[in-house]
Amino acid sequence: MPATVATTITTTTAITTTTTPKPVDYKNECGVRPLMQKYGRIVGGKGATFGAWPWQVLVRESTWLGLFTKNKCGGVLLSNRYVVTAAHCQPGFLANLVAVMGEFDLSGELESKRSITRNVRRVVVHRGYDAATFANDLALLELESPVQFDEHVVPICLPRDNEDFTGRVATVTGWGRLKYGGGVPSVLQEVQVPVIDNSVCQEMFLTAGHQKQILSSFLCAGYANGQKDSCEGDSGGPLMLERPDGRWTLVGTVSHGIKCAAPYLPGVYMRTTYYKPWLKSITGIK
Ligand code: ARG
């Protein structure tokens, strides 16, 4: 399709609604959203719609052989058998992780398509993970059996090797707290936050009176006046951007922050481009 036609479709709503959308090849393409019209909390965000973020994973922790299960973190589907999450989401003593794909509303089975649950066979925590500094706060979860991609279960794309997202407005999603110390939503939340340059981010933390070191493997996103951010429970979930071709790419994964959505304290994410070699070495994906 010529570039000019593609531009018209993405910017003109009228065309999108009157044209039969090009079928989305979710079985072979990463980063596509089959259930979104267009192909044509998270703090300060809004509820998503069912299937809007088909690579979002809910990471649950099960203890006492499944007698107790709690929602622990977010995660991101990278392939039919791998989910990336935060290293600090690893299971506690005598506990297992369970990954739920295609989930949306945690309050019951009200969705039009069912979620897919898989036990985690293996947790590969980054060997450089440091709980004190959150350095290398990344873990890969290998699923016990592969998942079948569906309209609401699609893996995200990885960025190109040296792709730079500074200044772009990215989206972060999750079932984490709606404000610092607050409650959790039942429906998946989404919020838009700009990607901040690391040196600017470092200055922001200093301005807020925190000595925290912003490593080159980190990526910050948020606003100087706060208001919008990820929060506790969103960890491991995706910070993502849409490519010009309409497919979505993983910019970072939620790691940590100080409070949530506070002034001069943006959210800190693990920078996907930095970890691409590590992700590839374990999952084998391109
Ligand atoms: N560590 C938190 C978690 O385990 C994520 C915190 C993100 N904080 C922030 N202010 N962006 O879910």
Side-chain angles (χ1 to χ4, degrees):
M1 189 188 285
T4 47
V5 175
T7 312
T8 313
I9 291 175
T10 50
T11 53
T12 315
T13 320
I15 293 180
T16 320
T17 49
T18 51
T19 310
T20 312
K22 169 176 168 242
V24 176
D25 188 10
Y26 59 83
K27 292 211 162 77
N28 297 297
E29 289 184 334
C30 60
V32 293
R33 306 199 292 167
L35 293 175
M36 293 305 279
Q37 277 277 91
K38 182 187 162 197
Y39 195 67
R41 228 167 269 214
I42 299 295
V43 180
K46 58 169 188 174
T49 55
F50 176 74
W53 309 109
W55 37 82
Q56 173 79 50
V57 176
L58 173 66
V59 175
R60 310 193 74 204
E61 182 177 55
S62 167
T63 32
W64 290 90
L65 301 158
L67 208 50
F68 299 104
T69 307
K70 64 170 187 187
N71 299 333
K72 182 152 187 151
C73 278
V76 194
L77 192 66
L78 296 183
S79 72
N80 64 356
R81 47 190 326 136
Y82 281 100
V83 169
V84 65
T85 188
H88 79 261
C89 299
Q90 64 191 282
F93 185 60
L94 294 181
N96 310 310
L97 293 184
V98 174
V100 187
M101 278 64 61
E103 182 54 284
F104 172 64
D105 186 344
L106 307 180
S107 70
E109 316 231 307
L110 305 159
E111 296 94 332
S112 52
K113 293 197 154 213
R114 295 171 64 154
S115 61
I116 301 172
T117 301
R118 289 286 184 274
N119 290 323
V120 172
R121 165 187 292 166
R122 180 168 75 115
V123 181
V124 185
V125 175
H126 194 290
R127 58 191 294 165
Y129 171 56
D130 181 353
T133 61
F134 285 98
N136 308 301
D137 188 13
L138 225 47
L140 274 163
L141 311 180
E142 186 188 340
L143 307 179
E144 215 165 68
S145 62
V147 288
Q148 214 169 16
F149 300 147
D150 201 338
E151 285 178 324
H152 63 320
V153 179
V154 181
I156 199 167
C157 304
L158 291 181
R160 289 194 317 269
D161 284 350
N162 291 309
E163 219 166 340
D164 181 18
F165 303 106
T166 309
R168 305 245 343 245
V169 179
T171 299
V172 56
T173 50
W175 289 276
R177 295 188 195 279
L178 296 169
K179 62 179 199 182
Y180 182 59
V184 291
S186 58
V187 164
L188 182 67
Q189 302 287 304
E190 59 180 69
V191 72
Q192 293 197 311
V193 278
V195 175
I196 303 170
D197 175 79
N198 276 34
S199 57
V200 172
C201 180
Q202 180 69 78
E203 285 306 315
M204 288 170 82
F205 273 89
L206 290 174
T207 303
H210 287 275
Q211 290 297 331
K212 176 185 175 51
Q213 207 196 335
I214 303 299
L215 307 174
S216 59
S217 52
F218 292 175
L219 179 146
C220 305
Y223 292 94
N225 69 345
Q227 311 291 323
K228 294 179 177 199
D229 196 3
S230 44
C231 200
E232 193 194 336
D234 291 322
S235 285
L239 174 73
M240 58 217 161
L241 267 169
E242 189 176 11
R243 288 179 176 163
D245 68 357
R247 292 165 70 181
W248 289 74
T249 189
L250 187 64
V251 171
T253 47
V254 180
S255 173
H256 62 287
I258 297 169
K259 299 180 185 158
C260 302
Y264 296 103
L265 295 171
V268 185
Y269 299 77
M270 292 297 116
R271 187 181 288 272
T272 311
T273 49
Y274 184 94
Y275 291 102
K276 221 179 127 181
W278 180 76
L279 295 169
K280 282 164 63 176
S281 72
I282 294 158
T283 65
I285 57 176
K286 306 133 277 137

